[in-house]
Structure formats: structure tokens, C-alpha cells
Amino acid sequence: LDTEPIPFVDKIEVTLAAPGRVKLRVYEKSLVGYVAYMGANLYFDKDGVVVESSSEATEGIPCISGLNFDSLALYRKLNVEDDSVFERILDITQLMKKYELAPDRIEFGMNLELTLYFGKVRVALGNSGSLDEKIGRLHELYPDLEGRSGVFRMENYTEDSKFISFEQDAEEE
């Protein structure tokens, strides 16, 4: 069966339920993030395909900033320099769900360095591995960050080093 792809549909299963009856099971694509662009929120799936445009922000789906793309069209893949960024976005958003954390924004810096924004707290994760361990530890420490303002430095955190520092923001006058 050769069909044209449907933007929101990940896959369709067709089974014969009985003579003259067909059962369809439709799997919807899950949205992993959105980019804010020209007043719209453009939601994309795990492959970076823009599947929805909305002026509303959908709760539970993080804003992804720092992505550099040179073209953007509905139902097309975001044209980024390095497609591995989508795998990294999927990894981090799955870990956020696993550990029940909901950042306001996920930012990519130089060399795909990750920073998570939770209100006035920024969590610098760097671009090295150990994401699962870092997010697991962040989950444990998160209650202590409430009401604070600053940068939580986890770039060099590993299960062996366990080094984390918090740099408090200077008080605003």
C-alpha cells in the first residue's frame, strides 16, 4: 500500500475484523517541542517535521530555542545544520517526562550544549553524555531550587565526580 504521508499520523494498522469489516488503528505522532517563529508556535515531532502551527502554547510541550534553521514550512522537516539535534531533543524530552520535570524552555547553545530553564533557574547540562544521570540527580535536587535565581552547573557531573555548583544571580537593585 503506497500512500502519501499524513502530517499527524505516525502509522496506521489495518486488520480484517470479520468478512466485510476492517479495523483501523491510527497512531498519532507525538509532539516533542516547538519553536517560536514570527508570532507562531511551530510544533514538531521526533524527526523534526513541523506538524502544527498555533498561536497558543500547549502545556507539557517545551519551547526549544537556539536551533538554527534556514527554512521552515508546515509538514516539512526543520532544515537544521545537524539532524542529530532531533535525537537529542527526543532524549531530553523523554527524560523530562520520566523524571516528571517540566522546563519552561530547552535551549541549545554552541556544540549542542543544553540549558534547561525553570523560572529564574537555569540548569547547564553541557553537551557531554550522562544525561540520564544528570536529569535523575536534578529531579532529586529540584525542590531545593524553588524560589532561587541562578545557574545550576551540571556540565561536568558524572556518577563518579558528582560535582555540582549553584551560582546565585546577583541581586537586582
Side-chain angles (χ1 to χ4, degrees), residues 41-155:
N41 298 323
L42 297 149
Y43 293 87
F44 56 90
D45 66 9
K46 64 182 175 53
D47 300 314
V49 175
V50 178
V51 294
E52 181 181 352
S53 175
S54 172
S55 59
E56 303 288 317
T58 302
E59 192 173 325
I61 299 176
C63 179
I64 311 293
S65 63
L67 293 181
N68 295 319
F69 47 88
D70 57 19
S71 67
L72 182 74
L74 205 52
Y75 313 129
R76 299 257 188 256
K77 190 172 189 171
L78 283 169
N79 192 7
V80 294
E81 197 172 294
D82 183 358
D83 278 350
S84 69
V85 73
F86 299 121
E87 190 174 312
R88 194 136 160 88
I89 290 169
L90 182 61
D91 288 347
I92 193 70
T93 55
Q94 286 177 335
L95 287 170
M96 292 293 110
K97 285 180 183 157
K98 175 182 175 182
Y99 289 105
E100 299 175 343
L101 294 169
D104 303 318
R105 182 164 54 104
I106 299 171
E107 181 176 83
F108 285 89
M110 298 294 289
N111 300 317
L112 299 182
E113 291 177 349
L114 272 172
T115 303
L116 307 178
Y117 288 77
F118 297 91
K120 293 184 177 182
V121 173
R122 282 117 35 230
V123 180
L125 296 174
N127 62 359
S128 62
S130 308
L131 260 184
D132 201 343
E133 291 86 6
K134 288 177 182 180
I135 301 303
R137 185 69 176 128
L138 174 61
H139 172 75
E140 294 168 6
L141 298 171
Y142 186 75
D144 298 334
L145 299 176
E146 195 170 325
R148 299 184 83 178
S149 175
V151 181
F152 199 48
R153 296 265 170 216
M154 297 188 80
E155 296 99 323

